[in-house]
Amino acid sequence: MIWETVRLALLALRRNKLRSALTMLGIVIGVAAVIAMVTVGQGSSRSVAASVESLGSNVLTVRPGGRSFGPPSVGGAQATRPFTLRDADALVGLSVLAQVSPTVSSMQTVVAGAANVSTSITGATSAYLDVNGWTVASGRGFDTSEDRASAAVCIIGETVRRTLFGMADPVGQQLRIGKVSCEVIGLLQAKGAGAFGQDQDDLVLMPIRTVQRRLLGSDSISSISVALTPGVSSQRGAREIEALLRDRRRIAEGAPNDFNVSDRAQIAEVLTGINSVLTGMLSSVAAVSLLVGGIGIMNIMLVSVTERTREIGIRLAIGAEGRQVLTQFLVEAVVLSLVGGIIGVIVGLGLAFGASLYMAIPFAPQTYVVLLAFAFSALIGVMFGFFPARKAARLDPIEALRHE
Amino acid sequence: MTSAASDRLPPLIELVDVCRVYGSGEAEVRALDHADLVIRRGEFVAIMGPSGSGKSTAMNTIGLLDRPTSGRYLFNGVEVQDLDRDQRALLRRHFLGFVFQGFNLLPRTSALENVELPLIYKGMARAERIERARAALAKVGLEGREDHDPSQLSGGQQQRVAIARALAGDPMVILADEPTGNLDSHRSHEIMKLLQQLNREDGITIVMVTHEDDIAAYARRLILFADGRIRSDAPVPERASA
């Protein structure tokens, strides 16, 4: 008998294709939205985690200025004393540091033949590539003799290469940066977008003295990145750097630093924080979608029972027991919810996959989300299939038959 | 069958001092007011009466869709007035067939599947069910229309499907509530001839509510209701016949 009831339910669903499709649509949308959003959220989370890793976790950055975050104090920028290469040299003496990479940055227009591009010129030393996790795709990096001399050489990023030279090999080509002509000696391996979405490959590296003397005419440097000796904690590294620099800059005991040492783990924390806020937001939107989907299911189930009151009356009159009517409606709800849920899972994963490809983030399906969304929609489907069905099964057949 | 012969047959439906009261106090309506009625096996009874006379309530009570407020209802000699919903559903399933004014077929469902429906609730195996449903449709003259939807059938044909559905379960009684109310005169007479034939040839007891004298004329016995009671109960004098 139960199989007959199941068959009755399937027949009823088949007979009312439009109604069945609409009911399922609600479930499909709810489930698909949740799965797509959470999957994409997880993917971007992983993507952020990966870019944080690419920053290098054992790297500290020293910058002049007292505060690392928040608005600068009035006149503060003027008052800070910049670092010079002598500060960087002093840091090299610290045993806790494996590498010291002073940099100075400037926006300049770079010209090659008829093409030109405005990009960030970074004055760097041979330590720069290692500390910042770059590799050379073609040509070579700076050698140590170029760290001290203001050689007219440069290394370019992939974006600059594409703009100025197309797909041609840039090594050996000449560039003009400001008044300086220089030879391209290397091309950096592309890194892609950074943690904040900036194009990391849009840069030109030159020996730091070349930038200081020939482009800026100043001996200050913007920042010093240091790689810690393996096994040294970033706290200890920061402590020793601070001690040395406070001494060099003659900062009185108890006075605040006029520079700051930032740990990239802090940046990672900020990024992870932002990302978890985003994921939370996406999840709330997804939860609302699921709720809306659920209300859709509820609506259509209620409408379906109301619309079918007469049918229920007929069934009761010709001898159906209340239990049989209830079972039939319940089976209909279960079948719709399951089929809708399965389609929703497929659609949701498909959307997430497409979005992952488009946004270049990892595709990260979460089993628990799939199960949760599926279970929730099934529950709603069955619940809101059940209560109207129970109402239907308890109808007075005379009343039900009179129903228009 | 003479009146004397039919008196010797056992009563199939017996209402004893039945009242059906809706509402209470000021708003109380006595739809049936101490009604007594005996219908014997094989009878063809027409029930007439103005609106509110209690004839529909009587039909619903006989059809086990409604319960009397007081009094006794014996179906085939068994008291059934106190049965619960599901027990009454089982009796309807096995012994009663319904034909309604509005046909009440399931939409978007073929004639065959409509006729099969009561057999599904009877728990009949599929092959037997289809055979029975086909036979019932053939009996009402709808061979070849098994796969038609109600929307593809005329009113008369839809009512025939409904009769086939009532018939398929092999009922002792067919209860027809204004079976020709939605049909034109030509089709009405066709339906009545069909009912008359089922009564005469298959011995199915038929109880029918109608508003029209010429339809009631197909029955053998005419009961008039007024104010919840039976006003008159007599053989049909000039019987229409196929």
Side-chain angles (χ1 to χ4, degrees), chain B residues 29-95:
Chain B
V29 176
R30 295 183 89 79
L32 285 179
D33 191 8
H34 300 286
D36 291 285
L37 173 64
V38 176
I39 295 171
R40 291 171 195 279
R41 187 166 299 199
E43 281 199 276
F44 189 162
V45 179
I47 297 178
M48 296 185 79
S51 302
S53 62
K55 60 183 192 307
S56 289
T57 306
M59 270 303 259
N60 289 335
T61 305
I62 293 169
L64 289 163
L65 291 168
D66 200 357
R67 283 161 79 160
T69 310
S70 67
R72 296 195 306 148
Y73 174 16
L74 291 92
F75 184 84
N76 207 19
V78 181
E79 287 201 19
V80 295
Q81 71 274 6
D82 296 322
L83 298 181
D84 67 21
R85 271 176 77 89
D86 285 345
Q87 290 170 322
R88 281 183 281 134
L90 286 174
L91 282 184
R92 290 199 297 273
R93 181 189 299 174
H94 290 286
F95 302 113

Side-chain angles (χ1 to χ4, degrees), chain A residues 32-120:
Chain A
V34 171
I35 290 177
M37 291 197 199
V38 177
T39 306
V40 169
Q42 282 295 327
S44 68
S45 194
R46 282 193 199 174
S47 158
V48 168
S51 31
V52 164
E53 243 163 66
S54 80
L55 287 173
S57 54
N58 62 339
V59 173
L60 302 179
T61 302
V62 187
R63 284 191 179 81
R67 307 175 62 163
S68 52
F69 295 109
S73 51
V74 176
Q78 245 71 30
T80 40
R81 279 176 290 159
F83 291 116
T84 65
L85 279 176
R86 283 183 298 282
D87 295 309
D89 288 340
L91 287 175
V92 172
L94 287 178
S95 66
V96 293
L97 305 183
Q99 302 210 67
V100 176
S101 165
T103 59
V104 58
S105 296
S106 162
M107 288 300 291
Q108 298 281 341
T109 300
V110 181
V111 182
N116 71 83
V117 63
S118 174
T119 186
S120 161

Side-chain angles (χ1 to χ4, degrees), chain A residues 31-366:
Chain A
V31 172
V34 171
I35 290 177
M37 291 197 199
V38 177
T39 306
V40 169
Q42 282 295 327
S44 68
S45 194
R46 282 193 199 174
S47 158
V48 168
S51 31
V52 164
E53 243 163 66
S54 80
L55 287 173
S57 54
N58 62 339
V59 173
L60 302 179
T61 302
V62 187
R63 284 191 179 81
R67 307 175 62 163
S68 52
F69 295 109
S73 51
V74 176
Q78 245 71 30
T80 40
R81 279 176 290 159
F83 291 116
T84 65
L85 279 176
R86 283 183 298 282
D87 295 309
D89 288 340
L91 287 175
V92 172
L94 287 178
S95 66
V96 293
L97 305 183
Q99 302 210 67
V100 176
S101 165
T103 59
V104 58
S105 296
S106 162
M107 288 300 291
Q108 298 281 341
T109 300
V110 181
V111 182
N116 71 83
V117 63
S118 174
T119 186
S120 161
I121 309 297
T122 300
T125 62
S126 54
Y128 182 87
L129 298 189
D130 273 354
V131 170
N132 291 284
W134 288 100
T135 52
V136 172
S138 146
R140 62 173 179 87
F142 300 130
D143 60 33
T144 43
S145 70
E146 283 157 345
D147 288 353
R148 293 290 150 189
S150 46
V153 294
C154 62
I155 302 171
I156 63 174
E158 176 62 28
T159 304
V160 175
R161 191 274 289 253
R162 228 182 307 125
T163 318
L164 297 181
F165 302 106
M167 296 314 283
D169 184 0
V171 176
Q173 303 281 335
Q174 292 289 319
L175 291 182
R176 193 165 52 74
I177 301 167
K179 285 178 238 153
V180 183
S181 263
C182 68
E183 183 192 344
V184 178
I185 57 166
L187 171 67
L188 295 172
Q189 185 74 48
K191 267 189 178 180
F196 295 107
Q198 80 279 24
D199 182 0
Q200 301 184 93
D201 299 317
D202 188 7
L203 86 170
V204 172
L205 300 179
M206 294 178 85
I208 189 162
R209 284 187 196 269
T210 313
V211 176
Q212 285 181 327
R213 292 182 187 160
R214 299 174 70 173
L215 288 179
L216 301 175
S218 142
D219 69 347
S220 57
I221 59 179
S222 325
S223 67
I224 307 169
S225 292
V226 298
L228 296 168
T229 304
V232 175
S233 72
S234 54
Q235 284 84 354
R236 186 175 151 213
R239 225 169 30 238
E240 298 210 10
I241 292 168
E242 281 177 20
L244 180 84
L245 291 177
R246 281 178 74 91
D247 187 43
R248 283 184 60 81
R249 292 161 83 86
R250 301 182 207 289
I251 297 170
E253 192 114 353
N257 292 342
D258 65 350
F259 61 91
N260 72 77
V261 180
S262 65
D263 184 350
R264 289 199 180 162
Q266 291 170 358
I267 301 175
E269 252 169 52
V270 172
L271 286 178
T272 312
I274 292 171
N275 193 67
S276 66
V277 168
L278 282 178
T279 307
M281 202 184 72
L282 279 178
S283 303
S284 330
V285 173
V288 171
S289 320
L290 197 57
L291 193 68
V292 170
I295 292 171
I297 299 167
M298 178 180 83
N299 251 333
I300 206 105
M301 288 287 182
L302 284 171
V303 167
S304 166
V305 170
T306 313
E307 187 190 271
R308 293 167 71 184
T309 303
R310 205 180 169 85
E311 173 190 336
I312 293 163
I314 297 169
R315 290 179 185 275
L316 291 172
I318 64 173
E321 291 164 76
R323 187 167 45 83
Q324 292 170 321
V325 172
L326 178 64
T327 314
Q328 180 191 333
F329 274 75
L330 207 53
V331 169
E332 285 184 29
V334 170
V335 169
L336 283 179
S337 303
L338 289 185
V339 175
I342 290 167
I343 296 176
V345 168
I346 294 168
V347 170
L349 289 178
L351 282 176
F353 185 71
S356 304
L357 283 184
Y358 179 72
M359 295 164 63
I361 57 171
F363 174 57
Q366 303 285 301

Side-chain angles (χ1 to χ4, degrees), chain B residues 94-112:
Chain B
H94 290 286
F95 302 113
L96 305 181
F98 289 88
V99 177
F100 304 97
Q101 177 178 3
F103 318 138
N104 278 341
L105 300 175
L106 295 190
R108 295 180 292 276
T109 303
S110 74
L112 189 72

